[in-house]
Amino acid sequence: IPSLGNTYYVSLSGDDIANGSINNPWRTIQKAADSVNAGDTVNVRAGTYNEKVTFLRSGTPSNYITFKNYDGETAIIDPPGCNTGTLCRQSSSVAMGFIVKAKYLRIKGFNFTDSFGSMTVAEPSSDIIIENNLMTNFYGGYGVKLGSVNNYSNHQDVSRITIQNNTMEPTAEPTDQDYATINVANNEGNHVIRNNLIDFKYSGKGVHGEDCIGSTENGQYTDNYKDTDIYNNTCIGSTDDSIEADGSNV
């Protein structure tokens, strides 16, 4: 899927009043997210970025926006308001990595750590590709959630999300029970979830632990997995189900 626009850069040594070029990079990923247009690519240089980033700008079917690590470098997303403590477990609104509310966007090659959840795709979102990321130390129970940022009370306009080739390592029992590392909440379906490694680094203690891949708890909504393909994923040490398939047309 092409990204044929401009190429920009983000660096810890940059400045948000710069032009985003390789010699004059931006300082924050949020500045880049607020500035790009269809077809643009943003390369994030090495370092730890203490940001919660919201993506609102969309690409087009023939010209995706791409956010990725700079080739050969490690870009770590460590959002504010969380350092493996109580707040990580309580504050989904603060201690979040990436929040996506956009279309035709690719997110690739980041290391997420110390968050309530690494990434949420909320409405209105479609045609998002999440690939080749490492997600660790998420204390709210999920690496990627498709649906509402804070709750499950409303049906979400989220569809055609591809989650592929990611490594997710749950390291602590989540605040709420019956959660899932890839959490497919109340949404439109038509997703692809493939070739992900989910490797649990803790042992569950509650009545319900954490699924590798799951939908809204106990089937509150019935179309979470509608027309969704799930294959070639590896689940190691789940503290509840490997796949909890509440839904239809999977």
Side-chain angles (χ1 to χ4, degrees):
I1 297 176
S3 293
L4 303 176
N6 297 315
T7 300
Y8 296 106
Y9 299 85
V10 175
S11 171
L12 293 178
S13 63
D15 193 319
D16 281 349
I17 65 172
N19 61 14
S21 67
I22 191 167
N23 294 319
N24 295 284
W26 290 315
R27 171 58 180 82
T28 64
I29 302 169
Q30 187 64 65
K31 169 62 178 179
D34 293 341
S35 302
V36 292
N37 294 302
D40 290 346
T41 297
V42 176
N43 292 280
V44 181
R45 304 298 301 260
T48 299
Y49 293 82
N50 299 121
E51 297 186 60
K52 179 185 77 172
V53 183
T54 300
F55 297 86
L56 301 176
R57 298 178 73 87
S58 297
T60 67
S62 61
N63 226 0
Y64 271 54
I65 294 172
T66 296
F67 280 76
K68 60 183 285 292
N69 66 309
Y70 186 90
D71 290 345
E73 297 187 4
T74 301
I76 300 170
I77 310 302
D78 186 351
C82 176
N83 61 8
T84 71
T86 302
L87 188 58
C88 284
R89 298 175 180 272
Q90 295 178 344
S91 183
S92 61
S93 61
V94 176
M96 188 79 69
F98 286 178
I99 299 173
V100 177
K101 299 180 179 181
K103 299 179 180 181
Y104 305 108
L105 173 69
R106 178 193 290 108
I107 296 173
K108 177 180 180 180
F110 292 95
N111 287 17
F112 294 85
T113 190
D114 289 346
S115 65
F116 183 90
S118 298
M119 190 181 311
T120 293
V121 182
E123 71 175 358
S125 292
S126 68
D127 303 282
I128 308 297
I129 301 172
I130 301 165
E131 62 183 356
N132 300 113
N133 300 285
L134 172 63
M135 303 177 182
T136 64
N137 294 343
F138 42 88
Y139 293 83
Y142 62 89
V144 178
K145 182 168 74 169
L146 308 183
S148 174
V149 174
N150 294 313
N151 57 58
Y152 302 100
S153 60
N154 298 305
H155 193 87
Q156 296 285 296
D157 181 15
V158 175
S159 63
R160 299 190 300 277
I161 312 302
T162 297
I163 305 171
Q164 61 187 13
N165 303 316
N166 300 284
T167 297
M168 305 181 190
E169 297 179 345
T171 52
E173 193 166 26
T175 307
D176 298 320
Q177 296 180 12
D178 204 14
Y179 228 98
T181 302
I182 299 177
N183 193 297
V184 185
N186 44 312
N187 62 85
E188 295 292 326
N190 292 284
H191 311 305
V192 176
I193 302 171
R194 62 188 174 195
N195 302 325
N196 299 286
L197 170 62
I198 303 172
D199 187 1
F200 280 71
K201 302 300 184 182
Y202 74 93
S203 298
K205 299 177 182 178
V207 176
H208 290 287
E210 186 174 357
D211 306 324
C212 278
I213 303 171
S215 53
T216 306
E217 291 95 327
N218 299 319
Q220 294 178 38
Y221 301 88
T222 60
D223 56 356
N224 300 302
Y225 283 132
K226 181 175 64 178
D227 300 314
T228 289
D229 295 324
I230 302 172
Y231 61 93
N232 290 348
N233 299 284
T234 301
C235 175
I236 301 173
S238 170
T239 55
D240 198 355
D241 302 320
S242 294
I243 300 177
E244 182 178 332
D246 294 326
S248 58
N249 299 327
V250 181

